[in-house]
Structures are given as C-alpha cells and as structure tokens.
C-alpha cells in the first residue's frame, strides 16, 4: 500500500486510483521502443514503482515466502470475494497503441483477456495510423463475438500533451492517458485503461467489479470531471512542477504523481496481484503465494521476457501460452448474452448452414467461406519513396519456404509485399527467424503480412490478394516464393515500364520468362547470355517443360532467345506466366485453393479485361527445387480432388460468361482440354 506522503514515482496499482476520478483503472507501463507506444509510465527500474517496502524489508500487507512467517498477504484469496458484474454487462477497456511492435503486443494482451472473459467487451483503441491499419484489419477478420472496437486518432491528442518535455522513450504517446477523458465518448462512465505489456491471468470482470467500492457520485465522474475542469487542473499542476523538473522522465506518471502530491486522498490501493511487476528491482514474489493468486502480469522492464525474477520461468510460460495461442479458438460465443454478430458473420453462418457435408467438394466449399485472421505489416515497415515506375514484388509462402527469403532479398533490392500462411506459434518462430538473419533484419522495405492458418486447404489466391492489396507502388511483379529473379530485374522492370509507357498509354502485362533448375546448387546466371549457356548445357530448363509445357509455351522461348525488344504474345488455354501489371489489376479468384488453376484463372481475367501480353527480352526468373507441397500430392493422388477442381473451373467460366458475355466464349476451350497438371 502506498503511503500518504509524497510519492516519488507512482506505481500502476496506485495510479489506478487517481484515474478513478475519471472512471479509469490503469495497469502496466512500458510502451514499445522506437518511439511508438503501448502506453506511458515508468519502467521497472525505480524501486518506488513496486509495492511500498518499509524498513523491515517486506511490503505492507504481504506474507513471506520460502519459510518466512506468514503475514497479512496482499493476495486476492485473502480478500472477501467480490460479486462479478452482471453476466452480460459490457465492460470498457482503453489502450494507447502506436507502431508495429506495440500492435503485436496488443494482440497478446487481447488474447489473455478473451481467454478468461465472460462478459462482452468494448475496446477503445487510441492509435496512430500504423496501428489503426493493422488492428482494424485484424479485428475485422478475427470476427470475435461480443467484442466491439472503437478507434481514436492519436494525432488529435498530440497537441494536448506536446508542450510537456518528456525524456521517456515512449515520447508523446506516453503522455496521452492524461488527455483520454477528452477523447472518449461523453456518455462513457467507466473504463479500464491498460498498457500493452500486461498479461491477464484472470477474468477482467473481477477488476471491473472493484468499481463497486466507489459511490454513485464517483461512477459518474467522467461528466463530473469535465465539468470540474480536469484538463485545466492537471495542466496547471504540470506547468508548475516542470519549472523545477524541467522534463518528465516517467512520462504521464510524473504528472499523476504531482497531482497526487496535492490531492493524496485520491489514492486507493488495489491488491498488488493486479499488477505483478516483473522488473529487476521489483519484489513481485511478495504479491503472491501460488499461481491462483495472480491476476495481471506486468512486463514493465525494458528487458521484457529477459528480465531477472525468481519465478520468471513460470511467468514467461504463461505469457508465451497466449503469444502462441490459436486465436481462432477465441471466436467462441458468449452463451446467454444476446450480442450482435460481427459484420458478415450472420451471412457466413447462413451460407455454411446451407452446405452439404456429403458433397465430395465440401472441404472446398467450406474453405471458400472461411475468413482468415490477417495481421498486416507484422514487422516494422517503412513506406517506399514515391516513384512513378516503381515495382513491388508480390508473393506468398508458408513456414516450409522461409529459407527462400534471404536469397530473395539478395536478388531483389526493391520493395516486397509477402503474405505468410502461419499458425500463431509459427508466427513467433518467423519473428525469431528474421531477428537471427542479418539480411532480413536490415530490410525495412519488405512488408510481411501474416494470414493465420484455418482449414485443410492452402488458400493460395487469398494470400496473393492480401499481398497484392498491400503493395504501395504503382506496379507489381506477381511472382512465387520459389523463384529467384535476375539480379538486374528490379532496375530492368522500372526502365521497361517507363519506356513502354505502361499504364498511361498502354494496358499491358509484362511477361517475365520463367526457367527452372533441378540442382540444389548451381551458379545463378548474371545475364541472359549466361542463362542461355546453362540452358544449352542442361543445367536449366524452361519452367515445367517436363510436366506442364502448356503453362508457359505461349511465351515462345525460341523467339525469346533471339529477341532484342519486347514482343506481343496471344493468350492460350492454361497459360500462366509471371507478369508485371499495374497495382489496380484484377485480384486473384479466391475459389481456387491448393494446387491447380489458381494462376491460370488470373491470366484469363487479365485477357478478358484486354491486357496485352508483352514478353520482356532481358527478363528472367529461375525456379529452385523443393519437396512437393501437400496440395500437389493431393492433386496427383486423389481423383476426387481433381473432380472438385474441374467443378470450380466450370463455375469460374459461368461467372466469366455473366460478366463478359460473348467475349468469354473463347475461354471455354480452357475447360475442354485433357486433364492434367495445371
């Protein structure tokens, strides 16, 4: 329990109480580094941020550990159980979040909330534009029942706190909780404010129930506070304190401390199990005797999971459980609470109910209706400088193709937009993979978008569409992760786009001829002349010449050998070249999953929209060998799989006919060819 004298630095458990004036509980403290924030407040380096330790060395209201005599332990089990809020009462939570890393932390925090919660939640997220883009897409695709999301622009709060000098690495975001009463809805009476670096180990409704300790007047405090001039109060006190303090070092906590100094009666302590702080100087073990005591774990040291603590292995395991927990499992409904379904959820439920489970193609139909969680820009990403002819490489991959990334980065120096199909646990492995690679860590122009696994089939075209939609340059190179481009391809494509006046005067798709090697080790050609020499020696081949020559034959490799200028080719059945097109090109047809016809259908769509197909004479990519995917094995071994693919082709052609009328008749031949690999 904090003393009533002047607090040197107010810990989160006490800071909650100041915020009770405005209906806030505040837990946690450290925002992410690099100037983006998950909230302000001090880290775990100041002993005053821990529960107050009197001269006898033990926090008041705590019991000893490891043989120490028991005392009045500050754990939840020693307090009378408090009634939970009504089952369907809506609980409000506010979080300040900015940047890519802090956005990932928010997801782990929210997972822990959802795992234990029994009530509907309304999350009030104060974000910068980066976090808004990430979190808005993620929650829209997560589609968790009984979770409402509201966003607030952090830019609007900056003028209210930018006048305060702040040495804390959180920057302005670490001060924004001071201004929350002015940005949250006027009708909102209570809200729990959380930082991003906390992990819940209990139902947040237990914390919400603590509001019952305050009178009805307090529960109306948001309106009362605005009427009483909260903003004027904290501004006046902060201005006065800064005359001697010069700058805040603990962000918003310095200001709250100054207010409490003048109004000590505002402090009402909570059991410290609601803020078990894991920093090098905290004595967190005095807050609990057993795991069941824990309510909230606070990683408030800059070291985060690497902090030294007596029971850190246990806390780390708890945190990693939610970090790697399958978020799809949290899409469960709250039984007994009539909450409106997330947007599109009702329509999807009706469509799923109409599926026939006896249908041989049931898996295909079901997966077409699956909405995958999407976490955009999973790692920090810098926007490319605007260039009129710039090109982004677009591709998709799964965990078994991560080893291709370093070589791809060496071959392609330009921007990339990559969609990764991963589980929650694999996403954490991916983070470690990038962190361990000097090549990948150095790139800030590669945008990684995680699409979380859900279902038995590989949603290849959905992944491509995610990566395509996030490309930020005027043009895109639609490739696959198993290909390495010529070292000069990025510059050559930009020059070709400019020379051919692509987009402004010409609607064209630039074809990049594809080759393959069956050797795991070979010298990559540095020029077209070297490639032709390898082709003649048998070290390289035209792509899939031995399995599916129809896929690339229209490129006319014999002509390409001698070509010195781009040349026009005609669309043909089953043609599936790799192309460069404007960013606003048609998206891929998501009905095609797994193996077969996923690129073919896209080229058909380009041709139907009258894109010319121009083959570039100096461009090339080389496919590297790898073990066959599960989906190609299914295609080869399962007649039912091939029958379902044929059914999808038929439906695709019917849709083409509806959209393009008689012009679509020529594509019927694509469905009349002998069946084989596609």
């Amino acid at each position: 329990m904090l003393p009533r004298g002047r607090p040197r630095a107010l810990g989160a458990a006490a800071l909650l109480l100041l915020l009770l004036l405005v209906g806030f509980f505040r837990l946690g403290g450290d925002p992410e580094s690099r100037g983006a924030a998950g909230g302000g407040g001090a880290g775990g380096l100041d002993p005053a941020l821990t529960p107050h330790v009197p001269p006898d060395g033990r926090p008041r209201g705590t019991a000893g550990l490891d043989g120490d005599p028991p005392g009045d332990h500050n754990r939840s089990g020693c307090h009378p159980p408090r009634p939970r809020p009504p089952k369907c009462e809506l609980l409000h939570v506010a979080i300040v979040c900015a940047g890519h890393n802090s956005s990932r932390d928010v997801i782990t925090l929210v997972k822990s909330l959802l795992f234990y919660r029994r009530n509907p939640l309304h999350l009030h997220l104060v974000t910068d534009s980066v976090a808004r883009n990430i979190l808005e897409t993620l929650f829209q695709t997560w589609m968790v029942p009984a979770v409402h999301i509201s966003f607030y622009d952090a830019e609007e709060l900056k003028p209210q706190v930018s006048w305060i000098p702040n040495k804390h690495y959180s920057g302005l975001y670490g001060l924004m909780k001071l201004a929350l009463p002015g940005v949250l809805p006027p009708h909102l009476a209570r809200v729990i404010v959380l930082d991003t670096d906390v992990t819940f180990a209990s139902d947040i409704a237990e914390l919400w129930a603590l509001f019952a300790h305050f009178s009805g007047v307090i529960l109306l405090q948001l309106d009362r506070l605005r009427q009483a001039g909260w903003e004027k109060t904290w501004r006046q006190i902060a201005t006065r304190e800064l005359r001697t303090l010069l700058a805040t070092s603990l962000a918003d906590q310095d200001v709250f401390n100054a207010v409490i100094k003048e109004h000590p009666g505002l402090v009402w302590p909570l059991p410290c199990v609601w803020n078990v702080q894991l920093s090098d100087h905290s004595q967190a073990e005095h807050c609990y005797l057993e795991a069941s005591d824990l309510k909230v774990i606070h990683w408030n040291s800059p070291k985060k999971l690497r902090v030294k603590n007596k029971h850190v292995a246990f806390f780390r395991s708890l945190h990693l459980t939610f970090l790697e927990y399958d978020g799809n499992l949290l899409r469960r409904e709250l039984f007994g609470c009539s909450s409106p379904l997330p947007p599109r959820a009702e329509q999807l439920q009706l469509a799923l109910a109409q599926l026939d489970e006896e249908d041989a193609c049931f898996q295909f139909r079901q997966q077409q209706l699956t909405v995958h969680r999407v976490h955009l820009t999973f790692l920090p990403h810098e926007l490319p400088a605007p260039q009129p002819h710039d090109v982004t490489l677009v591709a998709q991959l799964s965990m078994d193709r991560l080893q291709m990334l370093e070589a791809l980065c060496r071959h392609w120096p330009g921007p990339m937009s990559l969609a990764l199909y991963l589980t929650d646990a694999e996403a954490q492995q991916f983070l470690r993979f990038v962190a361990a690679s000097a090549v990948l860590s150095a790139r800030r122009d590669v945008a990684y978008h995680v699409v979380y696994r859900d279902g038995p089939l590989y949603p290849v075209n959905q992944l491509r569409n995610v990566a395509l939609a996030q490309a930020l340059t005027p043009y895109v190179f639609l490739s696959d992760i198993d290909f390495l481009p010529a070292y000069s391809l990025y510059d050559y494509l930009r020059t070709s786009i400019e020379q051919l006046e692509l987009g402004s005067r010409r609607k064209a798709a630039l074809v990049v001829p594809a080759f393959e090697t069956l050797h795991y080790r070979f010298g990559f050609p540095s020029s077209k002349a070297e490639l032709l020499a390898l082709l003649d020696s048998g070290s390289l081949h035209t792509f899939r010449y031995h399995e599916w020559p129809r896929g690339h034959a229209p490129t006319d490799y014999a002509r390409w050998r001698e070509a010195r200028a781009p040349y026009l080719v005609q669309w043909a059945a089953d043609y599936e070249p790799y192309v460069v097109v404007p960013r606003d090109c048609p998206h891929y047809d998501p009905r095609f999953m797994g193996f077969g016809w996923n690129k073919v259908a896209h080229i058909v769509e380009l041709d139907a929209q009258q894109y010319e197909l121009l083959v570039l004479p100096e461009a090339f990519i080389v496919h590297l060998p790898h073990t066959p995917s599960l989906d190609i094995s299914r295609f080869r071994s399962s007649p039912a799989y091939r029958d379902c693919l044929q059914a999808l082709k038929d439906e695709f052609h019917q849709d083409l006919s509806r959209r393009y009328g008689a012009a679509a008749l020529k594509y019927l031949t694509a469905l009349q060819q002998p069946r084989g690999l596609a």
Side-chain angles (χ1 to χ4, degrees):
M1 180 180 295
L2 288 173
R4 289 293 183 129
R6 174 175 179 170
R8 289 184 296 150
L10 182 63
L15 183 54
L16 306 176
L17 310 167
L18 166 67
L19 293 181
L20 289 177
L21 279 173
V22 294
F24 287 76
F25 277 118
R26 182 185 185 281
L27 296 178
D30 266 349
E32 73 169 358
S33 58
R34 298 193 184 96
L45 301 180
D46 190 326
L49 294 181
T50 67
H52 175 65
V53 181
D56 62 6
R58 182 173 301 148
R60 292 193 180 97
T62 65
L65 293 178
D66 300 332
D68 289 344
D72 179 21
H73 198 262
N74 189 18
R75 60 190 175 107
S76 58
C78 294
H79 291 267
R82 299 181 178 91
R84 294 175 180 266
K87 179 179 179 180
C88 297
E89 181 179 349
L90 182 64
L91 312 186
H92 293 270
V93 176
I95 304 170
V96 176
C97 173
H100 300 87
N101 296 339
S102 185
S103 298
R104 290 201 310 272
D105 293 339
V106 165
I107 302 309
T108 307
L109 164 59
V110 170
K111 282 183 182 180
S112 69
L113 287 173
L114 295 176
F115 184 84
Y116 294 105
R117 65 106 178 215
R118 301 180 187 178
N119 287 70
L121 297 177
H122 190 147
L123 304 182
H124 301 265
L125 305 178
V126 179
T127 63
D128 66 351
S129 59
V130 170
R132 170 73 180 261
N133 185 51
I134 294 170
L135 296 175
E136 190 167 40
T137 300
L138 190 136
F139 282 112
Q140 285 176 354
T141 55
W142 201 348
M143 302 179 73
V144 182
V147 173
H148 311 271
I149 310 293
S150 295
F151 286 94
Y152 308 85
D153 188 358
E155 289 295 321
E156 297 181 3
L157 275 69
K158 283 184 178 180
Q160 301 183 46
V161 295
S162 59
W163 59 275
I164 302 176
N166 183 24
K167 296 179 181 178
H168 196 266
Y169 58 78
S170 59
L172 292 179
Y173 298 99
L175 298 164
M176 286 188 177
K177 292 183 181 69
L178 293 166
L180 278 179
V183 71
L184 294 176
H187 64 270
L188 186 59
R190 295 178 290 178
V191 66
I192 297 173
V193 181
L194 302 175
D195 283 346
T196 62
D197 59 350
V198 298
T199 306
F200 269 74
S202 61
D203 189 348
I204 193 174
E206 297 180 39
L207 182 57
W208 187 267
L210 294 175
F211 276 120
H213 279 265
F214 307 101
S215 70
V217 174
I218 297 294
L219 293 180
L220 298 174
Q221 69 275 34
L222 275 175
D223 288 338
R224 296 289 180 88
L225 185 62
R226 294 182 183 109
Q227 294 172 6
W230 159 253
E231 182 178 351
K232 181 179 179 181
T233 299
W234 73 259
R235 280 175 176 269
Q236 287 178 342
I237 294 177
T239 300
R240 186 165 59 250
E241 290 291 318
L242 286 170
R243 293 171 186 167
T244 54
L245 193 60
L246 299 182
T248 60
S249 58
L250 304 178
D252 57 359
Q253 287 203 8
D254 281 324
V255 179
F256 287 123
N257 292 342
V259 175
I260 289 177
K261 173 186 173 182
E262 295 194 16
H263 305 279
L266 300 177
V267 179
W268 187 89
L270 293 177
C272 66
V273 292
W274 285 106
N275 187 40
V276 179
Q277 301 186 50
L278 299 184
S279 66
D280 291 340
H281 298 279
S282 66
Q283 298 179 10
E285 65 270 18
H286 293 293
C287 283
Y288 54 87
L289 284 178
E290 54 192 35
S292 60
D293 293 335
L294 300 171
K295 300 297 183 183
V296 173
I297 313 303
H298 180 199
W299 302 89
N300 67 322
S301 166
K303 297 179 181 179
K304 300 304 178 187
L305 298 187
R306 295 178 289 105
V307 70
K308 295 179 181 179
N309 181 276
K310 183 176 182 179
H311 301 118
V312 70
F314 172 82
F315 295 123
R316 189 183 294 120
S317 296
L318 178 65
H319 179 77
L320 292 178
T321 297
F322 292 114
L323 196 68
E324 301 185 353
Y325 190 82
D326 184 353
N328 298 326
L329 301 177
L330 297 169
R331 286 169 160 167
R332 55 179 182 251
E333 295 183 20
L334 291 180
F335 293 106
C337 294
S338 57
S339 298
L341 292 173
R344 297 170 51 205
E346 185 173 1
Q347 179 182 357
L348 289 170
Q349 286 183 358
L350 292 174
L352 285 168
Q354 293 173 0
L355 295 181
D356 180 6
E357 294 189 21
E358 301 300 321
D359 182 357
C361 300
F362 174 75
Q363 281 191 343
F364 283 85
R365 311 294 185 194
Q366 184 183 48
Q367 189 122 0
Q368 285 180 37
L369 298 172
T370 299
V371 178
H372 295 271
R373 282 180 297 139
V374 177
H375 189 138
L376 302 177
T377 51
F378 197 67
L379 286 170
H381 175 247
E382 295 177 1
L383 302 180
Q387 300 181 41
H389 308 109
D390 207 2
V391 185
T392 294
L393 187 149
V394 170
Q396 45 73 37
L397 67 151
S398 53
M399 194 69 182
D400 59 345
R401 297 291 190 269
L402 283 186
Q403 74 278 3
M404 289 295 302
L405 291 177
E406 283 193 350
L408 182 59
C409 283
R410 292 189 179 100
H411 280 249
W412 182 269
M416 288 188 271
S417 180
L418 306 176
L420 297 88
Y421 195 51
L422 305 173
T423 65
D424 293 74
E426 287 174 342
Q428 300 309 310
Q429 295 177 45
F430 165 67
L431 286 178
R432 294 191 288 271
F433 181 85
V434 173
S437 168
V439 174
L440 301 181
S441 298
R443 294 290 295 268
R444 286 292 183 268
D445 56 353
V446 180
Y448 301 101
H449 314 291
V450 173
V451 179
Y452 288 100
R453 294 180 65 92
D454 190 0
L457 299 174
Y458 188 77
V460 57
N461 277 359
Q462 293 184 41
L463 297 173
R464 286 174 171 145
N465 286 340
V466 168
L468 175 57
Q470 296 305 311
L472 301 174
T473 57
Y475 299 92
V476 290
F477 172 35
L478 305 178
S479 185
D480 273 337
I481 198 65
D482 303 320
F483 284 88
L484 289 181
Y487 286 107
S488 60
L489 185 60
Y490 175 58
D491 290 332
Y492 176 62
L493 291 179
R494 292 186 296 169
T495 300
S496 299
I497 290 169
E498 182 177 12
Q499 292 176 346
L500 293 169
E501 297 182 313
L502 202 64
S504 60
R505 296 189 179 182
R506 196 167 196 178
K507 190 176 183 180
L510 305 183
V511 175
V512 178
F515 300 85
E516 68 177 341
T517 178
L518 303 181
H519 303 289
Y520 283 90
R521 293 185 178 181
F522 85 110
F524 196 92
S526 61
S527 65
K528 179 177 179 177
E530 288 188 15
L531 181 137
L532 291 176
L534 291 171
L535 196 64
D536 293 338
S537 69
S539 297
L540 283 181
H541 309 277
T542 57
F543 184 53
R544 300 185 74 182
Y545 81 101
H546 59 297
E547 288 183 325
W548 187 241
R550 299 167 56 89
H552 293 265
T555 298
D556 194 348
Y557 287 96
R559 183 177 179 183
W560 184 81
R561 292 181 68 104
E562 308 299 330
R564 296 293 181 267
Y567 58 91
L568 188 66
V569 296
Q570 298 300 315
W571 174 88
D574 297 316
Y575 192 28
E576 51 177 0
Y578 294 92
V579 296
V580 177
V581 288
R583 182 180 59 187
D584 60 356
C585 69
H587 280 205
Y588 290 85
D589 193 312
R591 83 185 82 199
F592 294 103
M593 293 165 287
F595 181 81
W597 242 62
N598 45 72
K599 293 193 302 294
V600 172
H602 189 244
I603 297 301
V604 168
E605 190 77 40
L606 291 177
D607 186 71
Q609 295 195 17
Q610 300 182 335
Y611 279 77
E612 293 181 298
L613 296 172
L614 284 172
V615 181
L616 296 176
E618 299 295 328
F620 62 86
I621 53 177
V622 178
H623 181 268
L624 301 185
H626 57 78
T627 56
S629 67
L630 175 61
D631 289 300
I632 196 172
S633 300
R634 287 174 176 169
F635 177 91
R636 290 168 172 168
S637 63
S638 171
Y641 189 104
R642 295 193 293 272
D643 289 341
C644 290
L645 178 58
Q646 185 62 41
L648 294 178
K649 292 180 185 180
D650 294 339
E651 294 170 6
F652 173 74
H653 184 265
Q654 292 170 9
D655 289 342
L656 279 179
S657 299
R658 281 192 288 268
R659 294 202 305 273
Y660 301 108
L665 292 177
K666 72 173 184 177
Y667 306 116
L668 183 59
T669 59
L671 302 179
Q672 296 174 338
Q673 303 301 324
R675 297 181 187 181
L677 293 179

